[in-house]
Amino acid sequence: LADRYVNVEIPKPKDKELDTLLREDLEGLSDELGYAYSTVPGAYRCTFTFPRHTNEQMVNRSVTVLRSTIKVLYSMIDDLLEMKRSDAKERLEEVVYSVQMAEINLDRIYTNALNVHWDLPNTEPAGHFLMSQACERAHDEIEDLVYSSIELMELLSCCIEDDDVLELLYEEMISVWRSSIGKALNRIEYVLDALDMDEDESVRRCLTVIREHRSDKQNRSSIQDKSISELASKIEALSQRSTQGGGIKLFARKECIGSIELLFGMNQSASRLGGLTKILATKLLYVINSSL
């Protein structure tokens, strides 16, 4: 139970010259690939050992990846404020690549956490695994957000630069990132920071997040709900004062309909991030109570 291991057994060749070459390769690769090389009757054995981790360690690794991605997103938001619409797509492509690489790492961590959770005997509280799961799901939402953003920029970049409607949609994308998405990211960080604090402060933070989430849900007062109504008001105001193309007909274009749909979808992802933050806070409270 101390280690996990996989044995790869290679049958010994009947040809002596090939057998000698195989031995040399296996001996040389053992240092490079880190496996233990040995012989068994009729075969050469390569033992790949994977140290056993606890899901508390998996949580720490998940949190590290998620924090790193959030830092990248904050940097992107600052850059977008100073960029023209024509330059934003390239910056977002860099972010997409960074998020994709982080997602691969987080998927590996989540798979390891799943293996640890189902190992017997399972003596760990389930809360650690559920926290890793929440981190992975939060990163999935972030991945959807950056994919939607790059798709939106593709719609906006294929049109003329002096289009008031498309400029509004670009500015609204920045606004969604700064307000709706930014607020969701702030709340996640608020909970993640609680992992490094003393027990009393961790409990206080978790209860604060849970109370705020319940209040927003009951009163429909979240920043995501406000973002939807504000965007609708801006579109209506611009269509009424526009004299080109018959006002509201401006928004019937393919790129406008697609962009508005993506903006609403990004806002919904931010709302789901808020729900995952509440889950993180709840499971952290569970872990704290389980250790008492």
Side-chain angles (χ1 to χ4, degrees):
L1 293 175
D3 295 307
R4 305 157 198 242
Y5 60 89
V6 175
N7 286 328
V8 178
E9 294 185 357
I10 305 170
K12 293 181 179 179
K14 294 180 179 180
D15 186 294
K16 290 186 177 181
E17 185 177 351
L18 180 58
D19 185 48
T20 301
L21 293 173
L22 178 60
R23 284 187 180 188
E24 291 176 355
D25 286 343
L26 292 175
E27 289 169 5
L29 288 171
S30 63
D31 290 333
E32 182 180 339
L33 300 181
Y35 58 78
Y37 173 58
S38 60
T39 62
V40 294
Y44 298 111
R45 175 179 287 177
C46 303
T47 302
F48 293 83
T49 304
F50 303 90
R52 179 184 173 86
H53 298 285
T54 67
N55 262 338
E56 185 175 3
Q57 292 170 316
M58 294 297 105
V59 169
N60 292 334
R61 292 172 64 187
S62 298
V63 167
T64 297
V65 174
L66 188 55
R67 276 178 172 158
S68 176
T69 295
I70 291 173
K71 186 176 180 180
V72 169
L73 297 184
Y74 283 153
S75 175
M76 179 202 70
I77 294 171
D78 292 339
D79 291 344
L80 286 179
L81 288 173
E82 301 176 0
M83 281 186 176
K84 294 182 179 179
R85 178 158 52 96
S86 57
D87 301 323
K89 184 180 175 183
E90 184 177 352
R91 179 68 180 92
L92 281 166
E93 287 173 346
E94 295 176 2
V95 174
V96 168
Y97 178 77
S98 177
V99 171
Q100 285 175 334
M101 295 301 100
E103 179 66 19
I104 291 171
N105 291 331
L106 200 51
D107 283 343
R108 288 198 191 104
I109 294 170
Y110 176 66
T111 300
N112 288 335
L114 190 62
N115 290 334
V116 172
H117 182 61
W118 286 107
D119 271 353
L120 295 174
N122 189 352
T123 59
E124 293 187 74
H128 283 127
F129 168 73
L130 295 173
M131 289 174 68
S132 291
Q133 185 181 59
C135 287
E136 201 274 337
R137 289 175 60 195
H139 204 276
D140 284 345
E141 293 294 345
I142 289 173
E143 192 175 25
D144 285 343
L145 285 169
V146 295
Y147 283 151
S148 295
S149 297
I150 200 71
E151 188 177 348
L152 191 152
M153 289 311 306
E154 288 174 355
L155 287 172
L156 300 184
S157 62
C158 66
C159 305
I160 56 177
E161 288 295 323
D162 57 351
D163 191 317
D164 289 345
V165 174
L166 299 185
E167 283 299 329
L168 166 68
L169 294 173
Y170 174 59
E171 291 172 3
E172 190 58 27
M173 185 194 78
I174 297 175
S175 176
V176 167
W177 271 102
R178 292 188 65 195
S179 57
S180 180
I181 300 171
K183 177 68 173 180
L185 296 176
N186 288 340
R187 281 196 175 184
I188 290 179
E189 271 202 316
Y190 186 78
V191 173
L192 296 181
D193 289 344
L195 291 167
D196 302 324
M197 296 177 177
D198 61 67
E199 188 176 291
D200 289 342
E201 179 62 19
S202 294
V203 170
R204 186 187 67 79
R205 285 193 171 220
C206 291
L207 292 176
T208 297
V209 167
I210 294 169
R211 280 194 296 264
E212 288 180 353
H213 184 269
R214 183 174 65 244
S215 175
D216 287 344
K217 191 171 182 179
Q218 290 175 343
N219 302 321
R220 295 189 61 82
S221 59
S222 70
I223 189 99
Q224 288 79 31
D225 291 325
K226 294 176 183 177
S227 180
I228 291 175
S229 60
E230 287 175 2
L231 175 57
S233 298
K234 289 176 184 177
I235 292 173
E236 183 179 359
L238 184 61
S239 65
Q240 288 177 350
R241 72 170 182 265
S242 176
T243 59
Q244 298 178 349
I248 195 63
K249 291 183 179 179
L250 283 170
F251 295 94
R253 291 176 296 173
K254 176 185 71 174
E255 62 272 10
C256 292
I257 293 174
S259 298
I260 293 169
E261 183 179 0
L262 287 168
L263 285 169
F264 282 125
M266 291 162 62
N267 198 64
Q268 289 172 345
S269 288
S271 182
R272 288 192 292 269
L273 279 174
L276 289 168
T277 302
K278 194 235 2 179
I279 291 174
L280 276 169
T282 302
K283 302 315 173 189
L284 179 54
L285 280 178
Y286 170 80
V287 168
I288 291 172
N289 289 331
S290 297
S291 62
L292 294 177

